[in-house]
Amino acid sequence: MNEAFMRKAIELSIENVKNGGGPFGAVIVRGDEIIATGVNRVTANNDPTAHAEVSAIRAACERLGTFNLEGCEIYTSCEPCPMCLGAIYWAHLDKMYYGNTKHDAAEIGFDDSFIYEEIALTPEHRRLASCRLLGEEALKAFRLWTDKADKIEY
């Protein structure tokens, strides 16, 4: 573990607060090289997905020309929210290091515990109203994908 990379993520989070963003920063590295960085720009960009980790993943994938970040690690100033944790898994990062915990984040108003609780529920019991619609029609795309010989799996 390279503490310099974590210090960079923390530095990014501090600078981002000073520049109108949220207190989160992330760094993606491969070996000893920083591939990409990201900061929280949710309110600055009016984008609820503009979290530090997602921004860093997008930048790293663009720089490396791939959707698979195997061989890379992420250093993030805070334990990721459910969305970012999902993105980290989908990106296939090898390892994650974090500074603040999700409990530290909750203490300053960034409490994601309700999302973890909602995920555990079946759709009909979640606070977000939802129902399945046109399931059979939607399955056409899945059948095409299943039969596609030249698909790139991820």
Side-chain angles (χ1 to χ4, degrees):
M1 182 171 89
N2 189 330
E3 292 178 357
F5 295 135
M6 181 56 74
R7 285 192 178 95
K8 178 65 175 174
I10 293 167
E11 174 188 316
L12 287 167
S13 70
I14 292 168
E15 288 302 312
N16 198 49
V17 171
K18 295 176 183 177
N19 292 319
F24 305 98
V27 176
I28 295 180
V29 302
R30 184 171 59 187
D32 291 331
E33 178 188 6
I34 293 177
I35 300 299
T37 64
V39 294
N40 180 290
R41 303 304 289 169
V42 169
T43 58
N45 294 357
N46 294 316
D47 179 355
T49 69
H51 290 202
E53 298 89 343
V54 170
S55 297
I57 289 168
R58 289 174 178 160
C61 289
E62 184 174 338
R63 178 172 178 205
L64 297 176
T66 182
F67 58 85
N68 187 323
L69 296 178
E70 288 179 24
C72 297
E73 299 177 339
I74 188 166
Y75 293 78
T76 179
S77 64
C78 185
E79 186 176 1
C81 74
M83 176 184 69
C84 292
L85 185 59
I88 289 165
Y89 276 104
W90 280 113
H92 300 284
L93 288 153
D94 291 353
K95 193 164 186 176
M96 174 180 70
Y97 301 93
Y98 61 92
N100 294 309
T101 68
K102 62 184 176 182
H103 305 291
D104 296 329
E107 287 180 14
I108 64 164
F110 294 93
D111 188 356
D112 298 319
S113 60
F114 78 96
I115 298 174
Y116 287 106
E117 293 165 6
E118 288 283 299
I119 289 171
L121 300 173
T122 57
E124 65 273 7
H125 291 103
R126 294 179 184 151
R127 292 192 311 198
L128 177 64
S130 66
C131 72
R132 189 169 184 208
L133 184 63
L134 299 178
E136 282 303 313
E137 288 184 41
L139 283 173
K140 291 176 185 175
F142 281 17
R143 290 183 189 113
L144 282 172
W145 175 258
T146 299
D147 296 340
K148 187 173 174 61
D150 61 344
K151 65 185 165 214
I152 299 172
E153 295 193 26
Y154 55 97

